[in-house]
Amino acid sequence: MIPLNLKRDQIQKLVLSAIGFVVLLYVYFSFFLGPLNKSRNAMLLKINDRQSKLNASKNDISKAGSLEQQAANATARFAALKALNPEGAPIAWFPPRIKVFFANQQIDKANARLENSSPFKESELSEWMRYNWLIELPQAEFSALGTAIAELENSEPLLSITKIKILASNDQPQFQQVVMTASTIIQKR
Amino acid sequence: MALHLNLFHEEIQELRQRQRDPLKIGILVVIGFGALLFLYYAWCAYRTLEIRSRLNTKEQEWSKVEPKVIAAQKRATELTGIISTTRVLDQMIEDRFFWAPFLQELSRCVAPNAQLTSLEGNVLDDKKGVAVSIEGVSAGREPRSAAEDLRQMLLEQLGKSYKDVKVEFKTLEDLDTIVNVGGTNMAMARYVLTVSFNPFSTVAASPTPNPRMKNK
């Protein structure tokens, strides 16, 4: 080894150089390389994130496509069920519709009035309401009534008769008085 | 051996001392090291720029795909909702009780010497079944027996279509009235029958025609 015979001013300069070196390293890592690496790592994370989103997006799009095919029947059925009920407040169209329906079934006098309406408990039916109607047929012949009820149950899948009361008419034995409670499922408009 | 005198030894020593100046050497070392660091920094910066370029490409790709993905996710949610709603609605439609076949069965069970004066039926909540109360009169030499025939017939016929069928007399009483049936005077009895059955525990009778919704 070469012996270091340093003078005092040389040692001072050496120390000064060392300090300068440390300052250089500090400035370099803190203000240049550090932020650069930080920014690079952040960008790499963002790239990974975007890449995973892009990969997931392909899955999402293909899943939606296959779901669209699978749901074709359900969509058509849903549209058909929705189309069963016209636009507007049910109280406006349901009673006339029932009147016309029974008139077509040879039962001339028919009255329908709303008893109550309530939402469903099922979360799937949050957009639908249950309406309970009281349908009165003061003059109905039994066989015509049976046919009419069969036709009503067939043509209105969202309607179900929950109560029925048939009374023989004293004045006109060929007729019965009928009171029905019907529940309908109608989409909120 | 010749004697050499170095008359410039002081200058040479100064020159050597200047060359060995630690500050100068240190500055040179720092500058050299700084240059290396700068080169490394430049390399890192170049790589960072390249990454930024890749990121921009990905961002552009994503910005093109994002609306489609959002639309697809929205549509998937909508379709899932439609499927589940349709399933619940279909279940409700399937679980309906059809009165028409019941009335048809009932009308077939009523003999000419029996008459129904009132009928009251309820579909019980939570698929507990159906309860029907039937009031009527029967005529015959043994009017009570005619009423019992009706009860037996109902039990038999309804048992073919529904489960847990019960047909019981709530009341059965003779009447003082005498009626003429087919030219014969007959005694009368009045009865109230309670009928209960469960159409939900098995496949319920389907009304005629098919209970399915008409095709639009």
Side-chain angles (χ1 to χ4, degrees):
Chain A
M1 277 189 65
I2 303 164
L4 290 171
N5 295 324
L6 299 172
K7 292 177 186 172
R8 191 177 173 183
D9 64 324
Q10 285 180 326
I11 290 169
Q12 281 177 348
K13 286 174 181 176
L14 204 62
V15 168
L16 198 64
S17 297
I19 289 170
F21 185 69
V22 169
V23 168
L24 175 73
L25 284 179
Y26 175 76
V27 169
Y28 179 74
F29 283 108
S30 300
F31 297 103
F32 290 89
L33 201 62
L36 191 69
N37 282 337
K38 201 175 167 185
S39 154
R40 192 180 63 196
N41 290 337
M43 281 191 285
L44 281 171
L45 280 175
K46 251 186 174 176
I47 286 174
N48 288 338
D49 178 54
R50 288 285 175 268
Q51 190 60 51
S52 62
K53 277 186 176 175
L54 282 167
N55 292 339
S57 71
K58 285 173 191 166
N59 288 338
D60 284 346
I61 291 169
S62 64
K63 192 177 155 189
S66 61
L67 196 64
E68 190 86 52
Q69 288 175 343
Q70 287 170 16
N73 287 339
T75 310
R77 175 115 177 103
F78 186 75
L81 290 173
K82 267 173 71 176
L84 285 170
N85 300 321
E87 295 281 341
I91 189 100
W93 55 260
F94 186 81
R97 188 164 157 174
I98 286 293
K99 201 166 187 172
V100 170
F101 174 83
F102 281 106
N104 290 336
Q105 301 292 324
Q106 318 303 322
I107 299 171
D108 291 331
K109 293 179 181 174
N111 294 316
R113 56 191 164 86
L114 181 65
E115 269 205 324
N116 55 53
S117 63
S118 56
F120 284 95
K121 290 174 192 168
E122 292 88 345
S123 58
E124 292 91 345
L125 298 180
S126 57
E127 294 296 311
W128 297 72
M129 290 278 285
R130 184 192 294 280
Y131 289 81
N132 291 316
W133 306 90
L134 202 70
I135 301 170
E136 292 170 330
L137 310 171
Q139 275 191 355
E141 195 265 320
F142 187 77
S143 60
L145 174 72
T147 311
I149 288 176
E151 185 59 29
L152 186 68
E153 287 174 334
N154 288 328
S155 59
E156 296 283 346
L158 295 177
L159 179 146
S160 65
I161 298 167
T162 53
K163 284 182 190 173
I164 187 165
K165 194 172 180 180
I166 304 172
L167 285 172
S169 176
N170 292 329
D171 305 334
Q172 297 164 302
Q174 73 274 27
F175 290 122
Q176 282 81 41
Q177 294 172 2
V178 184
V179 180
M180 291 184 283
T181 303
S183 170
T184 54
I185 304 167
I186 297 172
Q187 196 182 23
K188 290 177 191 170
R189 302 283 187 182
Chain B
M1 191 177 170
L3 181 67
H4 291 279
L5 288 175
N6 186 0
L7 297 175
F8 300 106
H9 72 277
E10 286 179 348
E11 286 182 18
I12 290 167
Q13 198 174 0
E14 273 182 21
L15 181 68
R16 280 181 183 164
Q17 258 189 338
R18 274 204 305 276
Q19 283 174 343
R20 282 176 55 201
D21 185 0
L23 186 63
K24 192 179 169 186
I25 293 168
I27 287 169
L28 285 173
V29 167
V30 167
I31 287 171
F33 194 73
L36 282 174
L37 291 180
F38 176 77
L39 285 175
Y40 182 68
Y41 179 81
W43 168 242
C44 287
Y46 172 74
R47 279 169 57 199
T48 306
L49 286 175
E50 188 198 344
I51 289 166
R52 181 175 299 237
S53 158
R54 272 167 54 201
L55 176 63
N56 286 340
T57 312
K58 294 284 175 200
E59 292 279 9
Q60 281 176 357
E61 276 180 49
W62 175 243
S63 64
K64 280 180 192 170
V65 172
E66 192 179 15
K68 290 179 190 172
V69 174
I70 290 170
Q73 284 172 343
K74 198 177 166 186
R75 182 67 182 149
T77 311
E78 191 183 348
L79 285 173
T80 310
I82 286 173
I83 290 169
S84 56
T85 303
T86 309
R87 190 166 50 231
V88 174
L89 285 174
D90 276 340
Q91 192 61 49
M92 286 182 163
I93 291 168
E94 290 296 321
D95 287 347
R96 286 186 304 160
F97 172 68
F98 295 102
W99 284 97
F102 171 77
L103 294 176
Q104 190 179 29
E105 291 289 342
L106 181 66
S107 66
R108 283 177 183 163
C109 294
V110 182
N113 61 344
Q115 187 186 0
L116 306 186
T117 53
S118 83
L119 177 147
E120 192 169 349
N122 285 309
V123 179
L124 303 175
D125 291 337
D126 302 326
K127 296 184 190 177
K128 283 178 184 168
V130 176
V132 184
S133 173
I134 300 168
E135 203 175 321
V137 289
S138 59
R141 287 180 187 169
E142 294 289 338
R144 283 173 179 264
S145 154
E148 173 61 12
D149 287 346
L150 173 66
R151 192 187 76 84
Q152 292 288 346
M153 185 69 89
L154 280 173
L155 198 62
E156 186 187 323
Q157 293 301 317
L158 294 178
K160 289 178 184 172
S161 306
Y162 309 111
K163 290 280 178 189
D164 307 327
V165 180
K166 283 183 189 169
V167 184
E168 290 166 352
F169 282 113
K170 193 176 175 186
T171 60
L172 175 58
E173 55 194 19
D174 291 320
L175 294 176
D176 296 333
T177 320
I178 302 292
V179 289
N180 191 306
V181 179
T184 313
N185 287 336
M186 292 182 180
M188 284 182 74
R190 196 173 73 85
Y191 53 83
V192 177
L193 282 166
T194 55
V195 182
S196 65
F197 55 89
N198 192 349
F200 305 114
S201 59
T202 182
V203 180
S206 57
T208 51
N210 193 341
R212 298 277 176 195
M213 187 179 59
K214 283 180 178 174
N215 289 332
K216 291 271 164 183

